[in-house]
Amino acid sequence: ERARLKSLTFPLLLRTAMAFRCLLSCLVLTSSAAEVMQVIGAGFGRTGTNSLRMALNQLGYKTYHMEEAFPNGHIREWAKLYRPEGGTDPVAAEAVLDLVADAGYNASLDFPICSVYKEQLKRNPKALVILSLRSDAATWAESFVDTIGRPEFTEASGKFPMSYILPGAIHTNRWMFERVGFKDVMKITKEEAAKVYEDWAAEVKASVPKEQLLVHQSKDGWPPLCKALGIADKDCPSARGEPYPRAPNDRAAMLRMFRTIKFIVDYFPLVLAGVVVVVAGFVWGVWRCCCARRAREKGE
């Protein structure tokens, strides 16, 4: 009887433990999913968003940025917001914002997430909105068109092998740039970019309550950021003499990357043939070496 009782008790305890573990997991996931967006970036990329990301992270936030979207494989999810006929898929928008929240991010900056700052504010009505800007529209437009707004990059991202390496990139680019006001992402000019930048800044200022909006440039540094976030002067990094973060100027690196991507797309058959020749040569060399070694061993 004791043996029978023991045999029944162990499975019961095991099932209880598994149920408790499942409940604990659910609670942890719920806690993670409940993470609210406390800081919403409404500024475009190329407005010092990477430096701002470093600053917010230094202050204890977990900041979502394009630097996070690519390595986390989120670009495919952002691509689902794209509609060929125009506009944004609202269901896909909520799904990707849920994905960001579930990952524990409580601050957001840069493309593509800045394009849905209104949706974020609706979900998190008490959040601080930061509109990051450059010194003037012309300066931003030149930087944008020379880097992330290059039409040839968008075009290349939709061609093999880049469409395989970066799935969804072309639709993400089309969606996020059209969403903020560009008419044709394949024909972006500096003049159009400057106007889109100015119109977007005006819209953000008109849409967000003044008490919740911080207009910020990198040159402004820590003080206005700390004040807007409710951080006391004595606790602000500037009080300790810490300089405001300065992300490396990645313009030259981006240009090299775009040229490399364009070369790979334009000359992929030749690149592939070259790789095949190199691999075949290596295999042949190893085979010859092994054959020669065996021949020497047999001769001995």
Side-chain angles (χ1 to χ4, degrees), residues 257-291:
M257 180 185 71
F258 294 154
R259 284 194 290 266
T260 301
I261 289 174
K262 192 173 187 306
F263 177 83
I264 291 174
V265 168
D266 292 345
Y267 300 99
F268 180 69
L270 294 177
V271 172
L272 181 60
V275 171
V276 170
V277 169
V278 170
V279 172
F282 175 77
V283 172
W284 182 79
V286 172
W287 180 78
R288 283 289 304 272
C289 181
C290 291
C291 288

Side-chain angles (χ1 to χ4, degrees), residues 152-162 165-166 254-268:
E152 56 264 41
F153 173 66
T154 298
E155 182 182 14
S157 66
K159 295 180 178 180
F160 190 83
M162 297 313 301
I165 298 171
L166 298 174
M254 280 190 175
L255 291 176
R256 287 194 297 270
M257 180 185 71
F258 294 154
R259 284 194 290 266
T260 301
I261 289 174
K262 192 173 187 306
F263 177 83
I264 291 174
V265 168
D266 292 345
Y267 300 99
F268 180 69

